[in-house]
Amino acid sequence: MRWRMRQAAGPALLLFLLLAGFAAAGHAKEEGDLSIESLKCLQCHGKKGIVYKFQSDETVEAFVNPAKYKMSVHGFLSCSRCHTDFSTDHHASRNFRNKVQYRVKASAVCRGCHTPDQIKSKSVHADLLTKEKEGASPICTDCHDAHSVTPVAGGKIIRSETEYCMKCHQQKMTMTCRNGDKIALNVANSFSEGNAHDKLRCSDCHYGFSSEEHPKRNFRSRRDYTIASSESCRRCHFDKYTKTLDSVHYTILSQGNLTAPVCNDCHGSHQIPHISRGVKGRVLTTQRCRKCHEEVFGVYAKSVHGSALFNEQNTDVPICIDCHTAHDTENPLTLEYHERIPQMCGNCHANPAVVSKYGLSTEVLNAYLTDFHGVTLGLYKKQREQLYKPARPIAVCTDCHGTHNIASSISSDPAYVKANLVKRCQKCHKDANENFPNAWLSHYKPSLTKFPLIFLVSTAYKIFIPIMGLGLLLQIFLHIWRYAVNR
């Protein structure tokens, strides 16, 4: 029995010694990440406040963050591998005219390890090498930090990729198109708070790009680049993208008009704000439409709706996308769009929660749909949908009230409103005189307080006509009964 226990204790002891050995080796490696030379240099350069002064009185910070250096891709190197004039026993005294001369010389040190073939293998360096042939001196530390260079692929995925890309793209750089257009590629501050895409990686939109791959792009013009970039949006926003395919903007674009707006034109590219339905968001939306529709914006800004939005910060009033929608924007000049206008206006003007606080009638939509114009519009619409007859024009809200230049019917002079109304009536009714609009009840339902005479007459008719009908039926019945008895 004792012999068996000795046999079992042998392998267990061996396993314990192996684990202890691995643990000791790992601990030694952790402590040994920085060389003895680096640790000695950091005794001075690891203290904040140390600077070097050039002949031009410019200064450069000589502080090296020990933690970042330890985590950098160069952390295993000793300091003298790059700072060749220095060692633990010798601290050379050097003089530079200015900071640029120093940085150019420091970049030359990088070439000692990173050969031209290695540098050429990354297409992102192509422009720099071209400029170098022309006499420029690319400085490596403009993009790659001197003492905290991170591995090309490593660290946290999101932050490391973003930080990797921003190493270069926070610098001023441009891409030249074939027609000579220059596109700025610096995207500084693009990941600040408030950006709706601040959780995305660069490669989520710039498909095909990563910390390992950076293909060279070649576009005919800046506009071609913008349109091509907008295609990236559909990967996440496919529902919105499919709506745009039915829009008048996409129709114009597909016909060859490259000025038609695409995603980036309205939403931006790197600084995309969250959707806001408050005053700030609604004003911003109208400003986006203004980029192309400057004249319409000017008219809208002076209207009762635009004035309330910009001057009173009123969010009840409609903005562009409330009537035209955001992505599947229809051509407003078609008759199909024209016949939907009453329902668009009714979204607000038939909503008591919106219009009642302004003293406006809530019977606007019902009043229109039950009058001659509304009934005729309904008939035309039914014939178009069921009998495939083409849409036909009939007066709707905008024909009387205007479209973007709608004025207030309350604060304006009644005589002025009536004069304008006569002009609008005369567009269809050529013989309409100044008294023609008097037959209109202004979308109000007659009551004892509003058009009382019409209300009383209407009420009398509602009472009298049924009685008259019943009397007629009774007379017919009695006549038939009398004829049957006498027979």
Side-chain angles (χ1 to χ4, degrees), residues 457-473:
V457 171
S458 176
T459 303
Y461 268 109
K462 289 178 181 177
I463 298 173
F464 177 73
I465 289 178
I467 294 175
M468 199 173 128
L470 288 174
L472 180 61
L473 291 174

Side-chain angles (χ1 to χ4, degrees), residues 309-453:
L309 175 66
F310 298 123
N311 300 327
E312 303 169 16
Q313 286 74 52
N314 189 330
T315 57
D316 287 339
V317 295
I319 59 174
C320 313
I321 61 172
D322 290 324
C323 299
H324 298 283
T325 71
H327 298 101
D328 51 349
T329 309
E330 294 182 58
N331 184 352
L333 302 180
T334 64
L335 288 176
E336 288 79 6
Y337 181 90
H338 185 262
E339 70 181 18
R340 283 198 292 276
I341 288 177
Q343 190 59 52
M344 293 179 198
C345 299
N347 289 336
C348 293
H349 285 275
N351 185 350
V354 176
V355 296
S356 59
K357 51 187 170 184
Y358 303 105
L360 298 174
S361 171
T362 58
E363 293 293 325
V364 170
L365 185 61
N366 289 333
Y368 172 80
L369 293 177
T370 54
D371 75 6
F372 170 77
H373 295 139
V375 171
T376 307
L377 178 72
L379 176 64
Y380 285 171
K381 184 179 179 182
K382 188 176 292 185
Q383 289 179 337
R384 179 178 63 80
E385 293 174 344
Q386 298 180 358
L387 304 178
Y388 303 103
K389 288 190 174 182
R392 284 174 283 179
I394 189 70
V396 296
C397 313
T398 53
D399 292 310
C400 297
H401 296 279
T403 50
H404 302 106
N405 58 339
I406 299 172
S408 171
S409 60
I410 296 178
S411 59
S412 302
D413 181 9
Y416 174 78
V417 173
K418 184 178 179 180
N420 279 338
L421 194 57
V422 170
K423 293 178 182 177
R424 296 186 186 280
C425 295
Q426 287 174 342
K427 289 182 178 179
C428 299
H429 307 279
K430 302 298 182 185
D431 299 329
N433 57 27
E434 60 182 4
N435 295 323
F436 190 82
N438 291 341
W440 183 47
L441 301 183
S442 306
H443 299 305
Y444 283 92
K445 188 176 181 180
S447 65
L448 288 174
T449 56
K450 205 80 175 179
F451 308 111
L453 180 60

Side-chain angles (χ1 to χ4, degrees), residues 139-178:
I139 297 175
C140 303
T141 51
D142 281 345
C143 298
H144 306 282
D145 193 89
H147 295 102
S148 58
V149 183
T150 54
V152 173
K156 296 179 181 178
I157 294 176
I158 294 177
R159 293 300 303 167
S160 66
E161 183 182 274
T162 301
E163 290 175 357
Y164 176 82
C165 297
M166 291 301 290
K167 290 284 185 184
C168 294
H169 287 281
Q170 65 180 344
Q171 310 294 331
K172 287 185 177 179
M173 59 173 67
T174 59
M175 178 174 68
T176 304
C177 302
R178 295 200 296 275

Side-chain angles (χ1 to χ4, degrees), residues 68-244:
K68 289 186 176 180
Y69 180 64
K70 183 179 178 181
M71 296 299 296
S72 77
V73 71
H74 289 164
F76 70 96
L77 297 176
S78 59
C79 301
S80 60
R81 286 290 300 275
C82 298
H83 302 279
T84 54
D85 298 340
F86 297 79
S87 69
T88 53
D89 302 322
H90 180 68
H91 199 285
S93 175
R94 297 186 300 175
N95 288 316
F96 295 95
R97 289 195 304 274
N98 49 43
K99 193 173 182 178
V100 173
Q101 184 194 22
Y102 166 75
R103 298 183 72 201
V104 170
K105 185 174 177 58
S107 292
V109 174
C110 304
R111 300 296 182 90
C113 295
H114 300 280
T115 64
D117 288 339
Q118 285 181 322
I119 297 173
K120 287 179 182 176
S121 66
K122 299 294 183 183
S123 58
V124 69
H125 294 139
D127 289 341
L128 294 174
L129 294 174
T130 301
K131 291 178 181 177
E132 189 176 49
K133 289 180 181 177
E134 296 171 352
S137 299
I139 297 175
C140 303
T141 51
D142 281 345
C143 298
H144 306 282
D145 193 89
H147 295 102
S148 58
V149 183
T150 54
V152 173
K156 296 179 181 178
I157 294 176
I158 294 177
R159 293 300 303 167
S160 66
E161 183 182 274
T162 301
E163 290 175 357
Y164 176 82
C165 297
M166 291 301 290
K167 290 284 185 184
C168 294
H169 287 281
Q170 65 180 344
Q171 310 294 331
K172 287 185 177 179
M173 59 173 67
T174 59
M175 178 174 68
T176 304
C177 302
R178 295 200 296 275
N179 70 344
D181 287 350
K182 291 188 178 298
I183 302 172
L185 300 179
N186 52 302
V187 289
N189 299 323
S190 62
F191 298 98
S192 60
E193 187 177 356
N195 184 358
H197 286 174
D198 60 350
K199 304 300 181 188
L200 296 182
R201 299 174 300 179
C202 302
S203 58
D204 287 332
C205 297
H206 299 279
Y207 184 71
F209 289 78
S210 68
S211 54
E212 289 84 16
E213 300 292 335
H214 199 290
K216 187 174 183 179
R217 311 288 296 275
N218 189 6
F219 293 94
R220 186 184 61 180
S221 65
R222 174 197 292 269
R223 190 58 189 163
D224 280 359
Y225 169 76
T226 302
I227 294 172
S229 299
S230 292
E231 289 296 312
S232 300
C233 304
R234 66 176 176 177
R235 297 178 61 203
C236 296
H237 304 283
F238 190 73
D239 57 332
K240 302 294 187 300
Y241 174 79
T242 53
K243 284 186 175 180
T244 63

Side-chain angles (χ1 to χ4, degrees), residues 187 190 195 197 205-206 229 263-265 267-272:
V187 289
S190 62
N195 184 358
H197 286 174
C205 297
H206 299 279
S229 299
C263 308
N264 291 352
D265 293 315
H267 296 281
S269 51
H270 294 101
Q271 195 61 268
I272 299 175

